[in-house]
């Protein structure tokens, strides 16, 4: 791809960019939101503290695809692991383009069973949550570089 083509892909990735963050821990949300504001100021963060809060969003996406996030950050223990798996299954069983939104799982767990199960269930990436804010900044700078400046995300296929 040419340099101007690369810039156009990045510009397209940022257009109306939203990230849905499903995080029940207020302290983690504070760190995530602050890191996003510094590393991804062009992206709108939408928080759902519970999976019940995601239901109206999912319903809205079915008819208003332009409202879909470009990425979902999902806490594995929100509050129970089974809840995160249920949400992931719900996303993956939706019709396109809703089921194609990348889901990045965040967790304090670095247990191989959690990591393996996450990928078997269809997550796009698995990140172990950092402890310090500087590490969160590094994570979000890397998310910016990869998800917005490197990959080419599929164009929105709006159905009318």
């Amino acid at each position: 791809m040419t340099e101007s083509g690369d810039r156009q892909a990045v510009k397209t990735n940022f257009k109306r960019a939203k990230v849905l963050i499903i995080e029940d821990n207020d302290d983690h949300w504070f760190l995530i939101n602050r890191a996003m504001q510094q590393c991804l100021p062009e992206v709108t963060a939408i928080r759902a503290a519970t999976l019940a809060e995601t239901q109206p969003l999912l319903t809205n996406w079915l008819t208003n695809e332009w409202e879909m996030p470009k990425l979902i950050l999902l806490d594995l223990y929100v509050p129970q692991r089974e809840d995160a798996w249920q949400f992931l299954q719900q996303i993956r069983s939706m019709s396109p383009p809703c089921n194609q939104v990348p889901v990045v799982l965040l967790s304090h767990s670095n247990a191989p069973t959690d990591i393996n199960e996450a990928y078997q269930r269809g997550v796009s990436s698995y990140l172990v949550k950092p402890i310090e804010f500087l590490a969160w900044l590094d994570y979000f700078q890397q998310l910016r570089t990869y998800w917005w400046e490197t990959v080419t995300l599929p164009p929105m296929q709006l159905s009318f």
Side-chain angles (χ1 to χ4, degrees):
M1 189 181 289
T2 66
E3 187 175 329
S4 64
D6 289 343
R7 279 187 300 222
Q8 184 60 37
V10 168
K11 185 177 176 182
T12 300
N13 285 349
F14 278 113
K15 188 175 182 181
R16 291 189 307 265
K18 298 177 184 98
V19 173
L20 173 60
I21 302 162
I22 305 166
E23 174 61 67
D24 60 342
N25 183 302
D26 289 337
D27 292 333
H28 291 169
W29 163 246
F30 176 79
L31 294 171
I32 289 167
N33 191 42
R34 192 165 157 221
M36 272 197 68
Q37 288 172 353
Q38 289 185 33
C39 298
L40 287 160
E42 312 88 340
V43 177
T44 302
I46 301 166
R47 180 192 187 192
T50 67
L51 292 174
E53 291 178 16
T54 67
Q55 293 310 308
L57 298 170
L58 299 178
T59 301
N60 186 36
W61 299 349
L62 293 171
T63 55
N64 301 304
E65 289 101 346
W66 57 88
E67 293 294 331
M68 287 187 330
K70 300 256 182 176
L71 185 68
I72 297 172
L73 301 179
L74 172 62
D75 180 15
L76 178 56
Y77 290 91
V78 56
Q80 301 297 317
R81 200 171 155 229
E82 292 73 27
D83 298 328
W85 298 144
Q86 182 181 8
F87 174 80
L88 183 60
Q89 174 59 36
Q90 186 174 7
I91 287 288
R92 294 302 181 232
S93 66
M94 293 175 77
S95 60
C98 299
N99 65 353
Q100 298 168 353
V101 175
V103 176
V104 174
L105 210 63
L106 299 172
S107 178
H108 279 299
S109 171
N110 62 358
T113 54
D114 284 340
I115 296 167
N116 289 334
E117 187 171 0
Y119 283 109
Q120 289 171 356
R121 290 180 179 258
V123 300
S124 302
S125 293
Y126 187 103
L127 298 175
V128 177
K129 287 181 179 180
I131 296 170
E132 298 184 12
F133 181 67
L134 289 177
W136 279 107
L137 281 175
D138 184 48
Y139 266 31
F140 277 93
Q141 186 56 50
Q142 290 180 38
L143 278 172
R144 176 190 182 90
T145 300
Y146 184 73
W147 288 107
W148 275 273
E149 296 175 354
T150 304
V151 301
T152 302
L153 298 171
M156 287 291 177
Q157 301 294 323
L158 303 179
S159 56
F160 295 98

